[in-house]
Amino acid sequence: MSALIRVALSQRDLQIEPGQKGEVVVTVQNLSEIVDQLSLELEGLDTAWFTVSPPNVSLFPQDQGEVKLSLHPPSGAKAGRYDFAVKAISRENPVEWTRVQATLEVMPVSFLDISLSPQRKSMVGEEATFQVQLTNPGNVDLTLSLSATDPEEGCLYLFQPQRVTVEAGQSRGVPLRVRPKDGLPEEGRRYDFTVKAVPAGAPHKAREVLGQLECKPLVISFEVAVSPQKQSAKGTAKFKVQLTNFAENEIALDLSATDTEGACTCRFPTDRVTVAAGETKDVSLVVAPKKRPPAGEMKTYDLTVKATPAAAPHLAQTAAGQLEVLRPKRRWRRVLAIVAVLALLAACCLCLASILLPALDPGIRQELCRNVAIPGLCPGEEPPWPVPEPTERPEEEPPQEEPPEEEPPEAEFYADPDEIRIGDCTVLKWWVSAADAVALEGPGLGFEVPFEGAREVCPEGPSEYHLVVIHRGQEYVLHTEVYVVE
């Protein structure tokens, strides 16, 4: 503080509402022996909150002057006390300065705006959701309690949350769920309701907004179909269930499927499906027999698919389907049976020839030639036509022996185990004695493998796998099958 500069304020405590103005007269006196110019500064407040006019004043020795200080906190200024200081500084000697303290109190101003979006809503279902928009343009935080009522008290109202704080100058949205107490109406009905926001400690400043909910009757009209209606498979099969909604509102359907004997397991990706108005939705159905039929036999399962509306179980609809499961015989067993039969026939023929040929009497053969009288074939018979003299025939070259046919390499290919349940895995194992290349083919496979190895596979249904062996330009294919059961 300087003894050469004196500063006095017309008032040191001011109360101003946001957006309003207040003035303070600042008296400045030069107590030095020289002419000096004094500059005025204000500390502690934002420069947008005040105006000093004029900011500089020139004074003769022992002379004084007045400066107007205008305070104007903006409309968004928060309520509270703000300390500030007015400082006068000498231009001739800046180390000489004087400061005076003062206080500005921004008065609290409470405002509240409330709106509802949408203000009117139509629905087909159990409940509707609105958005309550709360805006606080004031300068103090507001803690609000929310409520809603209708004259008939026919609805339940749920705010999330029911008590909320909106900071000064901010907005906040609160979801409001409205549910009729009587559930789904058989006829259309309308509810007029009022949403109320009450500030804590100031119920007289509560604000209200009107809303309207129109409940339309739920119309259920749909169709369920199974595609294909009849399907043949070696085990597990997939069907497509088509759900068509003909109504103007969405419906939630609970799905189930059974067979008449209870011998199959039926699975949907989800037990409940929502179908939009006027749309068709496809849902996959996996059917797996719990036990597979004996080899070479066929088993037929009659299926029933049921779609039940969640809001009206009595309007459930069904569709029929059929699954034929045929378990084929093993190929290698059929081949072995054929080879065994052929070998047995060949052995019988050899046995008969060895018995009959030695027992044939030469006299019988001569009597046969006499009766038949075939010239040139039986002994002593001259042919009735001239027989040309035999001529020497050039020696024929002995036929060249064809190279022996290549024998296939020894190989083994099988699945361990060859029968699994849905979701389980099995191991393909193979061994080849010699080959130029070996490849493994089947669902998800198709690449070269070593002569000996194993690979785990997890088929979703009955599958066939192949081991392709290339040996000296020849291709040999081994097969194995994996059966998938429930």
Side-chain angles (χ1 to χ4, degrees):
M1 299 288 289
S2 174
L4 302 179
I5 303 174
R6 176 177 171 269
V7 177
L9 303 180
S10 60
Q11 53 181 330
R12 292 193 178 187
D13 295 314
L14 295 92
Q15 293 182 342
I16 306 174
E17 292 185 357
Q20 303 300 317
K21 292 183 180 181
E23 288 189 355
V24 177
V25 177
V26 182
T27 302
V28 184
Q29 186 176 10
N30 179 13
L31 301 178
S32 67
E33 298 297 329
I34 61 173
V35 177
D36 199 356
Q37 185 181 66
L38 301 179
S39 299
L40 270 71
E41 298 179 356
L42 195 145
E43 300 174 342
L45 293 179
D46 190 285
T47 55
W49 286 35
F50 65 87
T51 302
V52 179
S53 180
N56 303 308
V57 58
S58 297
L59 299 173
F60 288 100
Q62 307 301 319
D63 196 3
Q64 68 179 22
E66 293 183 350
V67 176
K68 287 185 177 183
L69 173 60
S70 176
L71 299 174
H72 40 80
S75 57
K78 296 196 67 173
R81 293 176 61 88
Y82 298 86
D83 295 326
F84 67 95
V86 178
K87 184 178 181 181
I89 306 173
S90 170
R91 179 180 178 183
E92 297 298 329
N93 189 6
V95 297
E96 298 290 339
W97 54 268
T98 298
R99 179 190 290 118
V100 178
Q101 296 289 337
T103 301
L104 168 64
E105 183 178 1
V106 178
M107 302 300 293
V109 178
S110 178
F111 294 106
L112 175 62
D113 292 332
I114 182 173
S115 61
L116 187 65
S117 177
Q119 203 160 12
R120 179 179 180 181
K121 191 170 187 178
S122 298
M123 75 161 190
V124 178
E126 298 180 351
E127 68 177 28
T129 301
F130 295 81
Q131 187 79 2
V132 180
Q133 191 69 26
L134 303 168
T135 303
N136 179 10
N139 62 349
V140 290
D141 296 346
L142 295 178
T143 299
L144 306 172
S145 297
L146 302 176
S147 62
T149 58
D150 61 89
E152 302 174 357
E153 296 184 356
C155 295
L156 298 175
Y157 303 91
L158 178 61
F159 295 91
Q160 298 176 326
Q162 190 169 6
R163 189 176 179 88
V164 61
T165 298
V166 184
E167 297 181 355
Q170 301 296 320
S171 297
R172 183 169 177 178
V174 178
L176 167 61
R177 293 161 54 193
V178 182
R179 174 180 294 185
K181 294 180 180 179
D182 297 335
L184 299 175
E186 296 182 358
E187 298 180 357
R189 191 169 181 180
R190 188 179 68 183
Y191 299 93
D192 296 318
F193 60 92
T194 302
V195 178
K196 189 175 183 180
V198 181
H204 60 285
K205 295 185 178 181
R207 295 290 183 270
E208 297 179 350
V209 63
L210 298 179
Q212 188 178 92
L213 174 62
E214 183 181 2
C215 297
K216 295 182 178 181
L218 180 63
V219 178
I220 296 180
S221 177
F222 71 99
E223 183 180 71
V224 58
V226 178
S227 177
Q229 285 190 327
K230 185 175 182 180
Q231 186 175 176
S232 299
K234 296 180 180 179
T236 304
K238 285 187 178 181
F239 292 84
K240 181 172 66 175
V241 178
Q242 293 180 332
L243 304 170
T244 304
N245 181 10
F246 300 109
E248 296 181 357
N249 49 265
E250 67 176 25
I251 54 175
L253 300 174
D254 295 326
L255 302 179
S256 62
T258 57
D259 66 284
T260 54
E261 301 178 7
C264 294
T265 299
C266 304
R267 296 186 301 170
F268 291 97
T270 178
D271 294 334
R272 175 168 289 190
V273 177
T274 300
V275 185
E279 291 189 358
T280 298
K281 180 172 286 189
D282 295 336
V283 182
S284 62
L285 169 62
V286 178
V287 181
K290 296 179 181 179
K291 294 182 179 180
R292 62 175 180 170
E297 294 186 9
M298 178 181 292
K299 179 68 175 178
T300 302
Y301 303 95
D302 294 321
L303 307 174
T304 301
V305 178
K306 186 177 182 180
T308 305
H314 61 284
L315 298 179
Q317 292 194 24
T318 60
Q322 194 175 78
L323 172 63
E324 290 182 348
V325 178
L326 172 63
R327 183 184 175 189
K329 294 182 179 179
R330 297 295 179 89
R331 297 181 179 179
W332 62 271
R333 292 181 179 176
R334 185 165 60 250
V335 173
L336 289 179
I338 295 174
V339 172
V341 171
L342 293 178
L344 181 61
L345 291 176
C348 293
C349 292
L350 291 176
C351 183
L352 290 174
S354 63
I355 296 174
L356 297 177
L357 290 179
L360 188 62
D361 191 349
I364 296 176
R365 291 200 299 270
Q366 185 175 3
E367 184 66 24
L368 178 64
C369 288
R370 184 181 302 110
N371 295 331
V372 176
I374 304 175
L377 295 181
C378 293
E381 292 291 339
E382 294 295 334
W385 56 81
V387 179
E389 293 292 335
T391 58
E392 295 185 0
R393 298 176 61 186
E395 295 184 1
E396 296 182 358
E397 296 182 1
Q400 296 183 356
E401 296 184 359
E402 296 183 359
E405 185 177 349
E406 286 289 342
E407 295 185 358
E410 296 181 3
E412 187 177 15
F413 180 49
Y414 61 95
D416 185 19
D418 64 349
E419 179 176 314
I420 60 174
R421 294 183 178 273
I422 296 177
D424 292 346
C425 299
T426 184
V427 179
L428 300 178
K429 299 181 180 180
W430 66 90
W431 170 84
V432 181
S433 61
D436 298 330
V438 181
L440 190 61
E441 296 181 352
L445 305 175
F447 43 81
E448 192 170 338
V449 295
F451 290 2
E452 183 176 359
R455 184 176 183 86
E456 185 180 65
V457 292
C458 305
E460 296 182 357
S463 303
E464 186 172 341
Y465 298 91
H466 314 281
L467 186 71
V468 181
V469 180
I470 307 299
H471 181 63
R472 296 184 179 179
Q474 299 292 326
E475 181 179 293
Y476 307 93
V477 182
L478 287 79
H479 310 272
T480 188
E481 294 183 65
V482 177
Y483 298 90
V484 180
V485 299
E486 180 60 29

